[in-house]
Amino acid sequence: MKADFITAALRANPLTMKALSLVPSYHAYRKLYTFLQESQWWSREELEAYQMEALSRLLDHAYENVPYYRRVFRERGLVPEDIATLSDLELLPFLTKEIVQANLPDLKARNYPESAFEYVRTSGSTGTPMGFYYEKGASRAREWAFMKTQWDRIGYRFTDRCVILRGHVVETASNGIYWKKALFGRWLVMSSHHMTEETLPAYIDRIRRFRPRFIHAYPSTAVILARYMREHEIKPFPTVKAILCGSESLYPWQRSLLTEVFGCRVFSWYGNSEQTVLAGECEESTHYHIFPEYSIVELIGRDGRPVRGSGAMGEVVTTNLTNYVCPLIRYRTMDVAVATEKRCSCGREYPLLEKVEGRLQEFIVTRGGHLISVTPINYESGAFENIKQFQMYQEEIGELIMKIVRKPTYTEKDTLQLTQELRWQLGDDVNVHVHFVDEIPRTEGGKFRYLIQKLPITLGDL
């Protein structure tokens, strides 16, 4: 990419610069992206050797420059050389969101100038907001090198036209224009906050005239569009090759709906704002391919010990290998995933996750104290036909409130059918109560939470 392109990027829409993270760190992006084109085809032994080398560098750095980790090593009578294998990471304690908040000043590397730190705060979707630091410019550039490598698998190019439905606020929405262009006209950024029965025809018309090759969306936002199109028998957009879904759990019923309505591949990836894990599907399977160049990923059970083997479910614990300004080592994500020992036919020897169940706070607690994931619940059954919006809410064990925004065609029969359907799916150990509301708000970031879980849930409850 030439200097004149970078100069143009400086004058571009701010979203363009944020998305590409090319200024001032284009070279960091390009170097890593070029490396990933090679490393994704390495053998498992080569990838593990790379991880161990990267981990050793990170631990040496953390011991020498990060006060929190110097203290952790000394308290345990350890030095970085004691971590000689990946499994030796278990000698170090877990890092929780609460620990990060209580020790954030001591998690900053002392060998970086203050100008290198970019303060970032999570949205708190797990119930615990958290602040931490990126390396200014470089962290976002590296993230895009991984994301671009991931999207390459289904043919994405920066020159492709792409519709963005990811919680953005569009300044012109008050004037009835719910979109704006970015990335030199290649991205159509659409407001996720104004998608109503009245405005959706305009959205659909604008998308069709824009002729995008991809739609990049929160799953819940894409579902609003898909449901409207199905109900009004609107044909798919002929130019769209794939729907790129991330930042929310993609439930099976959502994948089925989006595939049916848009008539194309739905591609999902899993990551977090803390940049401690990144995994995505490939061109041949829906298993999540974990980037070993990005982080080391462990799954732990209720006893805090590793769980292994196909079908094993546990909490995702991660160690980022690229963020030196604020290292997060053995970080408990509060996400739950299912492991698999399968190898993908795509040829990449990356470790795989069979599926991501979602946050710990996305489980319903039964009267017996058991947890039920909301992932397999079928929200596309006939019981939801006359429901415009819904959201589950739990603050008492064994009691589930279902908030419903009704369509005009909704009747008392729908309430009976809904409660019977949920009882069949959840069992007799959960009482379902239907409450009618006028609207269900999204988060400030434009995301939608299908379950508001107010009960404290820990891994020991699984």
Side-chain angles (χ1 to χ4, degrees):
M1 190 171 293
K2 297 181 180 179
D4 57 347
F5 181 89
I6 297 177
T7 302
L10 285 167
R11 304 191 188 101
N13 186 295
L15 183 63
T16 299
M17 291 186 289
K18 181 178 179 180
L20 288 177
S21 301
L22 296 179
V23 181
S25 299
Y26 168 70
H27 292 294
Y29 161 82
R30 191 70 212 179
K31 181 179 178 181
L32 180 56
Y33 177 76
T34 301
F35 167 71
L36 293 171
Q37 304 318 295
E38 177 185 348
S39 65
Q40 66 178 314
W41 304 113
W42 283 355
S43 68
R44 185 161 293 192
E45 292 73 24
E46 288 174 307
L47 289 168
E48 289 178 355
Y50 173 84
Q51 278 196 315
M52 194 62 234
E53 182 181 342
L55 177 62
S56 295
R57 288 197 304 269
L58 177 71
L59 295 179
D60 286 342
H61 162 76
Y63 182 78
E64 292 296 331
N65 301 297
V66 183
Y68 172 80
Y69 287 110
R70 172 64 70 93
R71 186 164 67 246
V72 165
F73 272 97
R74 286 180 170 174
E75 287 173 352
R76 284 156 181 76
L78 297 171
V79 292
E81 290 74 19
D82 292 324
I83 314 298
T85 67
L86 296 178
S87 60
D88 288 340
L89 260 179
E90 296 173 35
L91 295 172
L92 296 176
F94 296 121
L95 183 70
T96 66
K97 297 176 188 294
E98 291 79 10
I99 292 174
V100 172
Q101 290 302 90
N103 295 274
L104 188 56
D106 283 348
L107 280 164
K108 296 173 67 176
R110 295 297 188 256
N111 61 330
Y112 280 83
E114 195 62 34
S115 60
F117 294 89
E118 177 188 353
Y119 183 72
V120 182
R121 189 172 180 82
T122 66
S123 61
S125 59
T126 60
T128 308
M130 187 186 84
F132 54 97
Y133 293 97
Y134 288 166
E135 182 180 354
K136 188 172 292 183
S139 288
R140 295 188 186 276
R142 285 191 291 262
E143 185 78 1
W144 265 98
F146 281 101
M147 291 300 298
K148 178 61 169 61
T149 300
Q150 192 163 245
W151 290 353
D152 284 346
R153 299 169 192 169
I154 52 171
Y156 177 84
R157 301 163 301 185
F158 278 136
T159 54
D160 288 327
R161 292 190 173 198
C162 188
V163 166
I164 312 295
L165 284 166
R166 287 178 51 82
H168 294 290
V169 175
V170 178
E171 294 83 358
T172 57
S174 59
N175 298 324
I177 301 174
Y178 308 110
W179 45 78
K180 63 182 178 182
K181 287 187 177 180
L183 192 58
F184 315 105
R186 295 170 191 153
W187 283 9
L188 183 66
V189 183
M190 309 191 87
S191 171
S192 302
H193 301 271
H194 297 86
M195 300 175 71
T196 66
E197 291 282 324
E198 294 73 28
T199 63
L200 278 169
Y203 277 74
I204 292 167
D205 176 69
R206 189 69 188 87
I207 293 172
R208 201 174 295 279
R209 288 190 289 114
F210 185 66
R211 298 179 60 80
R213 196 160 183 254
F214 296 93
I215 295 177
H216 181 199
Y218 293 152
S220 62
T221 307
V223 160
I224 295 174
L225 187 63
R227 277 184 164 158
Y228 183 90
M229 291 174 66
R230 186 179 63 180
E231 289 173 7
H232 294 82
E233 299 182 348
I234 296 171
K235 293 181 179 180
F237 306 111
T239 58
V240 173
K241 180 178 180 179
I243 312 297
L244 309 175
C245 287
S247 303
E248 293 177 344
S249 296
L250 177 65
Y251 301 121
W253 67 269
Q254 292 175 320
R255 186 189 294 273
S256 296
L257 173 65
L258 298 178
T259 302
E260 171 197 340
V261 171
F262 294 112
C264 65
R265 170 71 192 269
V266 177
F267 179 90
S268 177
W269 78 92
Y270 160 59
N272 58 15
S273 298
E274 298 92 315
Q275 293 189 353
T276 63
V277 59
L278 187 63
E281 300 171 2
C282 74
E283 59 271 41
E284 295 193 15
S285 81
T286 56
H287 287 115
Y288 289 88
H289 296 51
I290 301 169
F291 276 109
E293 308 95 333
Y294 190 97
S295 63
I296 295 168
V297 175
E298 308 169 64
L299 290 185
I300 62 169
R302 63 178 64 194
D303 58 358
R305 302 289 298 168
V307 296
R308 298 185 177 91
S310 292
M313 183 170 68
E315 182 183 352
V316 179
V317 174
T318 57
T319 298
N320 175 276
L321 296 173
T322 65
N323 185 357
Y324 277 55
V325 300
C326 183
L328 300 178
I329 299 170
R330 301 203 81 203
Y331 175 69
R332 294 186 67 158
T333 64
M334 298 179 69
D335 296 335
V336 178
V338 177
T340 179
E341 293 183 340
K342 294 178 181 178
R343 297 196 175 189
C344 187
S345 59
C346 71
R348 298 176 184 86
E349 293 292 340
Y350 286 179
L352 305 177
L353 295 174
E354 182 177 320
K355 57 183 175 179
V356 179
E357 290 285 356
R359 314 295 189 192
L360 274 171
Q361 294 303 118
E362 292 179 326
F363 284 78
I364 297 167
V365 186
T366 71
R367 278 194 296 276
H370 300 296
L371 300 187
I372 299 176
S373 171
V374 300
T375 299
I377 297 176
N378 179 19
Y379 301 116
E380 283 298 299
S381 70
F384 291 83
E385 184 175 348
N386 293 315
I387 293 173
K388 185 177 180 181
Q389 284 182 297
F390 64 91
Q391 185 178 66
M392 293 172 286
Y393 181 93
Q394 186 173 32
E395 60 181 0
E396 295 182 30
I397 292 176
E399 305 293 327
L400 183 70
I401 295 172
M402 194 72 166
K403 295 181 179 180
I404 297 295
V405 179
R406 294 169 286 186
K407 292 182 181 178
T409 51
Y410 189 97
T411 68
E412 192 60 35
K413 289 182 179 179
D414 293 296
T415 300
L416 180 61
Q417 185 179 1
L418 176 64
T419 53
Q420 288 176 339
E421 175 81 14
L422 289 175
R423 173 165 291 185
W424 179 79
Q425 296 192 49
L426 300 175
D428 294 332
D429 226 12
V430 177
N431 294 326
V432 178
H433 310 275
V434 175
H435 290 184
F436 300 117
V437 296
D438 293 330
E439 64 176 343
I440 298 174
R442 292 177 172 267
T443 67
E444 288 185 8
K447 296 182 181 181
F448 187 84
R449 296 173 62 187
Y450 286 96
L451 172 63
I452 304 296
Q453 179 54 269
K454 293 297 185 179
L455 296 172
I457 297 178
T458 65
L459 190 62
D461 298 319
L462 286 174

